[in-house]
Amino acid sequence: MRGSQWVPGVRAAATYEARWLPRDLVAGLVLTALLVPQGMAYAELAGLPAITGLYTSILCLVAYAIFGPSRVLVLGPDSALGPMIAAVVVPIVLADGDPGRAVALASVLALLVGLFMTVAAVAQLGFVADLLSHPTQLGYINGLAVTIFFGQLPKLFGFSVEGEGLFADIKGFVTGLDETVPAAVAIGAGGLAVILVLQRFLPRAPGVLVAVVGAIAAVTMLGLDDVDVVGPLPQGFPPFTIPLVSLQELGMLAAAAVGITLVSVTDTISTASTFAARAGREVHGNQEMAGIGAANLAAGLFQGFPVSTSASRTAVAAAAGAKSQVTGLVGAAAITLMLLLVPGLLRDMPQPMLAAVVIAASIGLLDIDGMVRLWRQRRVEFALAASAFVGVAVLGVLPGIAVAVALSVLNVFRRAWWPYRTVLAKPDGVDGYHDLHQYPDGVRMDGLIIFRFDAPLIFANARTFREEVRRLAQQEPRWIVIAAEPITDVDTTAADMLEELDEELNAKGISLVFAELKHPVKEKIDRYELTRTIDPAHFYPSLDDAVAAYRAGFGP
């Protein structure tokens, strides 16, 4: 990245148009109505005080406006990251017996995520987002949605449960139903219904704000003392803080930060691509990572926790007419003024209402249609998604992301290990040579077999290639022509296999011939000195040339 690219906000300020300001101001105020309740709710989802969600929102919005490349992307506390933060922070806090340390642990986690993001941006590692394939990401997010849903149900019903993991949450909820607080259920369920109904029928309406205002009014006017509320928030701007943890805790936090970084990058690149495509712009993955890294570093130094891009908040800002990151700055300023001037504004916000906000977010994460589509289109990828889902549900959030990454990588190896391979034939009335499975009546020449192997030829599939060619050799052809256009690489293991295979075939009077081999791959074969055994004349630029040479040597 060139030096001028590190601070896109400076370039954006220099090119800002005055006519955008009214839209950015309105969009920023609309966005604030969503940022405040969601920030508080997602902070509690992460096992942290609600105020840290507001601190985090302020700092990440300001930092991304300076260092982020997107004009409309909105960062902040995220429902998908909340359980990942809680999975590492809560056990440490409970074991130590000091709940106040949760903020310090989460802040160090944010600093680590910011550091990893920044290093990845400098090293041009934007491709790490590809480590989570769409099917495994779909399964992971669905597992996360279900975990969040059941984890928040007890809070919606006015009680808490002890336990860790999806099944423990379900069991705790069922066994704790006798502790239900009716007023809490009324507030939480009513608020959830308002959010979902407005999202469905009036998507432009601030459903979360309407539900929150109604819940606060109900608690205040009806005197619902048995409903837990947030309580008074600290007044003022978040203080600059350098959090301290032990080396042992640092190791645990670093492992979690890797998973959070991967999820955050993947989500951000996906969201940025969607909104950039609408505006006809390009996404710069490494710059996005630098922007997210800066946002996390800023949050971590002001008692915040890891953040990511929010597709829902970005959509709200875009729908409200946001033209630039001034929208985010307006949101940050509005939250700051609230903390400075009216910190008691939200003291009567019911905890069940915060649970309703989180549950609504989890429902938004759930993608049943995507799973059904995978089932219909490709069962193997459905199995990957289902396995990622089970990984989150059974093993937990952090091990679940490890399972998702492992499944994505294994799926790549599976495709390289057992690639599609077929024999080609020449169909009547169709140009060229095509898959015999697709054209079973295609014409084949006596003594000539054309074999296509749809993958790079590497150590993982060298044995598969050899066994397939040996099987074809049992038909006793004169030539086995490899349609090599899909073979984009040949490693040394495969080269040794080809040398042994060619000698084995030559002993049977069969020639191994290559057609359409790419020039870089041919150069590797020359460097491996394979032409000591494979006849240098048996490399042809096209299948037609190979077939013509066979006809010239052996007749029609």
Side-chain angles (χ1 to χ4, degrees):
M1 240 186 283
R2 295 190 302 272
S4 61
Q5 293 178 307
W6 283 109
V7 191
V10 174
R11 297 199 312 273
T15 58
Y16 190 80
E17 299 182 23
R19 61 189 178 89
W20 294 348
L21 185 58
R23 290 190 177 186
D24 281 338
L25 287 173
V26 172
L29 294 176
V30 171
L31 185 62
T32 303
L34 192 62
L35 288 170
V36 172
Q38 282 193 345
M40 297 173 70
Y42 297 163
E44 296 208 342
L45 176 63
L48 301 167
I51 186 63
T52 60
L54 302 184
Y55 292 165
T56 301
S57 298
I58 293 170
L59 272 303
C60 74
L61 288 171
V62 173
Y64 187 82
I66 298 172
F67 296 98
S70 173
R71 291 186 179 181
V72 297
L73 219 57
V74 177
L75 267 66
D78 186 62
S79 59
L81 297 188
M84 300 180 72
I85 299 169
V88 65
V89 170
V90 172
I92 296 176
V93 172
L94 292 178
D96 189 66
D98 181 11
R101 298 201 62 247
V103 175
L105 292 167
S107 295
V108 172
L109 192 58
L111 291 174
L112 289 171
V113 171
L115 177 63
F116 293 163
M117 287 281 192
T118 304
V119 170
V122 173
Q124 306 283 294
L125 299 179
F127 65 87
V128 298
D130 298 334
L131 288 177
L132 273 178
S133 67
H134 176 68
T136 50
Q137 185 180 4
L138 182 64
Y140 172 78
I141 291 297
N142 278 329
L144 200 61
V146 173
T147 300
I148 293 172
F149 179 87
F150 284 103
Q152 291 295 303
L153 273 183
K155 188 175 176 180
L156 188 79
F157 278 65
F159 62 91
S160 60
V161 300
E162 297 293 335
E164 185 177 345
L166 175 61
F167 297 113
D169 287 338
I170 295 174
K171 180 180 178 182
F173 172 69
V174 172
T175 57
L177 281 174
D178 56 345
E179 302 176 30
T180 297
V181 178
V185 177
I187 291 290
L192 179 61
V194 169
I195 294 172
L196 296 179
V197 168
L198 289 181
Q199 283 180 349
R200 176 68 177 84
F201 297 104
L202 294 172
R204 290 184 177 272
V208 173
L209 179 62
V210 171
V212 167
V213 171
I216 293 175
V219 169
T220 303
M221 297 173 62
L222 300 178
L224 302 178
D225 295 333
D226 54 345
V227 177
D228 290 337
V229 296
V230 171
L233 300 177
Q235 184 175 19
F237 193 78
F240 176 84
T241 306
I242 298 179
L244 299 175
V245 297
S246 68
L247 288 177
Q248 180 181 2
E249 292 168 343
L250 185 63
M252 297 175 65
L253 292 171
V258 172
I260 292 174
T261 299
L262 180 58
V263 171
S264 183
V265 169
T266 303
D267 188 37
T268 296
I269 298 300
S270 175
T271 303
S273 299
T274 299
F275 285 92
R278 294 178 184 177
R281 302 189 183 98
E282 294 184 0
V283 173
H284 303 285
N286 294 306
Q287 290 183 9
E288 288 293 355
M289 286 195 295
I292 307 169
N296 277 281
L297 289 172
L301 291 172
F302 289 87
Q303 299 187 14
F305 51 88
V307 298
S308 181
T309 302
S310 169
S312 61
R313 290 190 287 272
T314 301
V316 167
K323 304 298 291 184
S324 73
Q325 285 298 328
V326 170
T327 295
L329 293 176
V330 171
I335 297 173
T336 302
L337 289 174
M338 185 194 74
L339 292 177
L340 289 173
L341 303 179
V342 284
L345 184 65
L346 300 174
R347 66 184 177 187
D348 291 328
M349 182 185 291
Q351 292 285 358
M353 186 63 243
L354 292 182
V357 171
V358 175
I359 288 175
S362 73
I363 294 173
L365 288 175
L366 200 63
D367 189 355
I368 301 298
D369 291 340
M371 296 292 286
V372 171
R373 186 169 59 252
L374 283 181
W375 173 261
R376 292 173 177 171
Q377 293 176 348
R378 190 161 184 173
R379 299 292 172 84
V380 171
E381 295 200 345
F382 172 83
L384 290 174
S387 298
F389 176 91
V390 173
V392 175
V394 175
L395 301 178
V397 176
L398 290 177
I401 186 64
V403 168
V405 172
L407 288 173
S408 293
V409 174
L410 286 175
N411 189 37
V412 173
F413 272 100
R414 179 191 65 82
R415 293 177 180 178
W417 203 335
W418 296 299
Y420 185 74
R421 56 266 189 201
T422 187
V423 172
L424 304 184
K426 190 171 182 59
D428 289 334
V430 180
D431 292 335
Y433 297 84
H434 300 275
D435 191 339
L436 193 60
H437 294 99
Q438 184 179 3
Y439 296 96
D441 297 328
V443 178
R444 299 172 58 188
M445 295 183 63
D446 290 338
L448 176 68
I449 296 176
I450 303 176
F451 173 60
R452 193 182 71 205
F453 191 79
D454 291 354
L457 198 50
I458 58 176
F459 71 95
N461 58 34
R463 184 182 62 82
T464 301
F465 180 91
R466 180 183 60 202
E467 296 306 314
E468 195 69 25
V469 172
R470 282 176 173 171
R471 186 183 64 80
L472 295 173
Q474 293 175 2
Q475 301 177 31
E476 299 182 354
R478 295 189 182 94
W479 278 17
I480 296 179
V481 177
I482 308 300
E485 194 273 337
I487 299 178
T488 56
D489 191 18
V490 175
D491 69 8
T492 55
T493 300
D496 292 340
M497 177 275 297
L498 286 175
E499 184 173 10
E500 295 172 2
L501 180 61
D502 185 61
E503 291 175 346
E504 178 183 322
L505 294 176
N506 288 341
K508 297 178 180 179
I510 302 173
S511 294
L512 192 61
V513 179
F514 291 85
E516 301 180 340
L517 193 66
K518 290 179 171 60
H519 180 68
V521 182
K522 179 60 168 59
E523 285 185 330
K524 290 182 180 179
I525 285 180
D526 291 337
R527 192 160 60 246
Y528 298 150
E529 298 182 347
L530 280 179
T531 48
R532 291 178 306 177
T533 56
I534 302 176
D535 189 340
H538 284 171
F539 291 88
Y540 295 93
S542 70
L543 287 174
D544 287 333
D545 290 327
V547 172
Y550 179 81
R551 281 201 180 103
F554 300 98

